[in-house]
């Protein structure tokens, strides 16, 4: 595969006189030149999408779903190359990069069989009211860096199956695999239906303010999400925000520690904690706290050690980029400065001499109002907190500024479900670490989001709903 990257506008490949490179997070070696889209490129992409929408919006669901199968085939046929590019730009091991590609294939195939249908909303002797759905127009998909293909793909396939055109903007920290995927997908859809532009905050801001874009689907931080929503308000764009989480994990006194400890370790340290729904605050009942902590430290030291070799079968890796590396280091330094009990890890100076590596770090019982507990760490440092009273732990778990996911562990499923129902989060997992399912609606409550996507329900945010009032006589 040729290692060159392009913006894709109306199925044409476009370079740019303005390029940037991204460092490999494992080694800090600069990767390939990547063209930054100009304002003119963006205007051309919007015009191409608007023109394509005229006919694309008139296609049937079945026609569009057949093309999603082809989109999945492109991912399948190029899975190895795409995973290689993705692992270089994100620092993920090959195993993790394969998960990114594999989930994107699964999501595409899911929507090749799932779509919105008309629904009778009311019927009596006089009238039948049928709700039907139609596309919004041009969707702008603004994406983060932690799962570049999965998180771009979900927006792309949701937009396309509902009859919209889509312009996808990957994170400038991880542009390569997404740009290559769109390039390889040329010819599947009419030109202008599926396009990609590389750029940062400036391009994102253009997308959110342009009147030619009808909807923005954004995934990223809460701070940027607020900017996106404010900008979208000026043209009353539809907007979906998938934002940061600070997931609480509650371990009940009867949890089976043989199963719970490995699952919690994975919840906190899979992809070095860079998962929106990673377990970010672990609340363990005081009666099992000491044993749990001891076992968790052993599990993490054995299973999440730093492995510099890209091909090592590890689900742990470096922090993706320098910006996030500095944020996570700052949180660990704050723990040290305040004398919190770091039971494993904690080193913030270079562990390998190069790259953005931080060892998995566990902090025992930091105060509830500490930075580590109150703010999303989005990296490999995890607070383990003890609790004794259920009402108290629920209050601590339910933050005022986040509510994306949560998890509960117990040997008694009924008890676990009862506790899960008390948690204020968009998704709660029982006896498993937080892993979104493409068939399940995914959304954050409070500051963690606005609307949601995935599952059949997720398609509603990519569509207008129209009610047809049909008289009976
Ligand atoms: P970010 O907010 O820094 O950037 C996200 C995207 O927004 C990037 O493409 C960026 O270029 C763009 N952007 C930046 N400024 C913009 C502006 N003013 N207008 C429009 N676009 C702009 O987030 P990030 O660091 O890339 O992602 C990490 C965050 O994403 C974490 O907080 C994580 O929890 C969250 N996340 C949430 C989910 C979810 O589904 N809820 C999934 C993955 C990640």
């Amino acid at each position: 595969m040729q290692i060159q990257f392009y913006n894709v506008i109306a199925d044409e490949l476009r370079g740019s006189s303005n390029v940037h490179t991204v460092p490999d997070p494992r080694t800090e070696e600069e990767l390939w030149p990547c063209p930054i889209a100009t304002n003119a490129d963006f205007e051309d992409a919007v015009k191409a999408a608007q023109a394509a929408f005229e006919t694309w919006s008139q296609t049937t669901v079945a026609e569009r779903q057949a093309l999603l199968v082809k989109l999945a085939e492109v991912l399948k046929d190029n899975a190895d190359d795409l995973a290689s590019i993705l692992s270089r730009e994100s620092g993920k091991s090959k195993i993790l990069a394969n998960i990114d590609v594999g989930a994107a294939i699964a999501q595409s195939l899911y929507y090749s069989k799932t779509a919105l249908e008309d629904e009778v909303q009311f019927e009596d002797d006089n009238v039948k009211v049928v709700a039907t759905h139609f596309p919004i127009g041009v969707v702008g998909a603004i994406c983060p860096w932690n799962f570049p293909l999965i998180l771009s793909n979900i927006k792309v396939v949701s937009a396309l199956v509902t009859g919209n055109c889509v312009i996808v903007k990957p994170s400038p920290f991880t542009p390569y695999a997404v740009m290559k995927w769109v390039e390889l997908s040329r010819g599947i859809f009419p030109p202008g239906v599926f396009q990609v532009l590389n750029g940062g905050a400036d391009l994102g801001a253009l997308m959110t303010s342009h009147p030619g874009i009808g909807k923005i689907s954004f995934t990223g931080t809460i701070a940027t999400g607020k900017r996106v929503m404010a900008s979208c308000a000026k043209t009353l764009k539809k907007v979906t925000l998938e934002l940061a989480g600070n997931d609480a994990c509650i371990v009940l006194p009867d949890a089976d520690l043989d199963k719970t400890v490995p699952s919690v370790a994975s919840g906190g340290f899979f992809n070095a904690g860079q998962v929106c729904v990673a377990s970010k605050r672990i609340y363990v009942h005081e009666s099992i706290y000491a044993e749990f902590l001891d076992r968790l430290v052993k599990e993490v030291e054995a299973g999440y050690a730093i492995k510099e070799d890209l091909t090592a079968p590890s689900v742990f890796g470096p922090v993706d980029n320098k910006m996030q590396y500095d944020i996570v280091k700052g949180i660990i330094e704050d723990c040290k400065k305040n004398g919190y009990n770091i039971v494993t890890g904690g080193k913030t100076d270079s562990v390998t001499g190069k790259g953005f590596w931080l060892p998995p770090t566990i902090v025992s019982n930091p105060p509830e109002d500490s930075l580590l507990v109150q703010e999303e760490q989005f990296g490999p440092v995890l607070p383990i907190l003890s609790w004794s009273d259920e009402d108290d732990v629920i209050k601590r778990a339910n933050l005022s500024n986040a509510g994306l996911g949560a998890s509960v562990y117990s040997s008694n499923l009924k008890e676990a479900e009862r506790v899960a129902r008390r948690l204020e989060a968009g998704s709660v997992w029982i006896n498993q670490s937080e892993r979104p399912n493409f068939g399940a609606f995914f959304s954050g409550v409070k500051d963690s989001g606005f609307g949601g996507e995935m599952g059949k329900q997720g398609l509603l945010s990519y569509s207008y709903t129209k009610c047809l009032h049909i008289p009976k006589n």
Side-chain angles (χ1 to χ4, degrees):
M1 180 186 289
Q2 200 188 5
I3 300 291
Q4 277 185 354
F5 298 88
Y6 303 95
N7 296 303
V8 180
I9 300 167
D11 268 15
E12 301 285 336
L13 301 183
R14 265 205 213 174
S16 170
S17 54
N18 193 7
V19 297
H20 73 122
T21 55
V22 173
D24 179 332
R26 289 180 174 247
T27 60
E28 290 177 73
E29 179 198 339
E30 290 296 326
L31 297 172
W32 315 280
C34 197
I36 300 172
T38 61
N39 290 10
D41 291 334
F42 171 64
E43 289 294 341
D44 288 349
V46 173
K47 276 196 198 101
Q50 286 177 312
F53 183 70
E54 297 283 319
T55 44
W56 175 247
S57 58
Q58 301 308 309
T59 54
T60 64
V61 170
E63 285 166 340
R64 299 194 290 265
Q65 287 184 319
L67 298 184
L68 289 195
V69 174
K70 291 193 176 175
L71 195 65
E73 277 162 11
V74 164
L75 285 165
K76 262 190 222 160
D77 293 346
N78 297 280
D80 202 47
D81 287 337
L82 288 170
S84 296
I85 293 171
L86 195 139
S87 66
R88 293 297 306 281
E89 65 183 322
S90 66
K92 286 180 201 224
S93 65
K94 208 60 196 302
I95 273 191
L96 273 180
N98 285 338
I99 291 175
D100 217 307
V101 180
I105 294 169
Q107 287 173 166
S108 308
L109 292 177
Y110 170 75
Y111 282 121
S112 76
K113 297 200 183 77
T114 307
L116 294 172
E117 288 134 23
D118 287 1
E119 185 197 337
V120 177
Q121 293 209 321
F122 178 85
E123 188 166 18
D124 65 11
D125 293 344
N126 301 317
V127 71
K128 183 170 160 181
V129 181
V130 178
T132 189
H133 310 282
F134 64 105
I136 294 170
V138 182
V139 171
I142 303 180
C143 308
W145 44 260
N146 60 325
F147 287 91
L149 274 174
I150 294 177
L151 297 173
S152 303
N153 173 273
I154 190 67
K155 299 180 188 312
V156 167
V157 292
S158 303
L160 293 179
V161 77
T162 43
N164 299 283
C165 297
V166 60
I167 300 172
V168 55
K169 189 194 91 55
S171 165
F173 290 121
T174 52
Y176 300 113
V178 172
M179 294 178 89
K180 192 53 77 180
W181 168 47
V182 184
E183 177 189 334
L184 291 166
S185 304
R186 285 179 306 147
I188 297 179
F189 303 97
V193 169
F194 179 29
Q195 306 180 94
V196 64
L197 296 176
N198 174 45
D202 292 351
L203 177 60
L206 277 181
M207 292 170 80
T208 58
S209 59
H210 197 290
I213 291 191
K215 178 206 161 90
I216 291 288
S217 175
F218 170 84
T219 300
T221 55
I222 293 168
T224 313
K226 287 179 180 172
R227 275 179 225 126
V228 166
M229 194 163 186
S231 178
C232 287
K234 292 184 191 130
T235 48
L236 278 186
K237 278 188 212 336
K238 309 303 157 218
V239 59
T240 302
L241 303 176
E242 298 276 13
L243 307 179
N246 193 358
D247 293 18
C249 160
I250 300 184
V251 183
L252 300 184
D254 67 348
D256 175 349
L257 293 193
D258 288 345
K259 292 181 184 152
T260 301
V261 168
S263 184
V264 171
S266 164
F269 292 106
F270 182 86
N271 198 31
Q274 299 163 106
V275 182
C276 55
V277 282
S279 302
K280 291 175 182 148
R281 299 173 291 143
I282 315 296
Y283 292 94
V284 184
H285 192 264
E286 62 176 6
S287 62
I288 53 167
Y289 183 89
E291 186 185 354
F292 178 94
L293 184 63
D294 186 50
R295 286 204 199 189
L296 184 72
V297 168
K298 289 195 181 102
E299 177 79 24
V300 167
E301 287 176 351
Y304 297 84
I306 289 178
K307 298 206 170 107
E308 289 180 75
D309 177 6
L310 199 66
T311 60
S314 170
V315 294
F316 191 76
V319 176
D320 174 278
N321 56 74
K322 177 79 165 67
M323 181 205 68
Q324 189 62 26
Y325 182 57
D326 289 340
I327 291 174
V328 184
K329 278 207 302 195
I331 292 174
I332 297 173
E333 290 302 340
D334 183 75
C335 292
K336 286 187 189 168
K337 192 182 74 194
N338 287 294
Y340 305 155
N341 184 11
I342 297 178
V343 288
T344 188
K347 212 165 172 311
T348 52
D349 44 351
S350 175
V351 182
T352 61
K354 55 189 174 8
F356 307 136
W357 291 95
L358 288 169
T361 297
I362 292 177
V363 185
S364 171
N365 271 323
E368 199 65 28
D369 64 356
S370 59
L371 190 61
L372 174 59
V373 177
Q374 291 302 310
E375 295 298 326
E376 182 195 43
Q377 64 276 58
F378 214 55
V381 49
L382 195 59
I384 316 297
L385 304 133
S386 67
W387 66 274
S388 53
D389 175 72
E390 184 181 305
D391 286 344
D392 176 59
V393 76
I394 296 284
K395 210 184 276 175
R396 290 157 72 192
N398 289 336
L399 292 174
S400 61
N401 67 348
L404 187 59
S407 55
V408 180
Y409 290 86
S410 167
S411 296
N412 181 335
L413 277 184
K414 282 219 161 72
E415 265 298 281
E417 186 180 331
R418 186 183 61 72
V419 172
R421 286 178 184 277
R422 297 188 68 188
L423 292 171
E424 294 163 3
S427 308
V428 185
W429 284 263
I430 293 173
N431 289 343
Q432 52 184 312
S433 52
E434 301 94 328
R435 298 283 175 265
N437 179 317
F438 48 74
F441 185 60
F442 185 76
S443 68
V445 306
K446 302 180 189 171
D447 290 5
S448 287
F450 187 82
E453 45 199 12
M454 300 176 75
K456 199 168 181 175
Q457 186 177 339
L459 298 181
L460 285 171
S461 70
Y462 286 85
S463 311
Y464 288 125
T465 297
K466 166 168 55 185
C467 279
L468 302 170
H469 297 247
I470 305 164
K472 288 276 178 78
N473 42 48

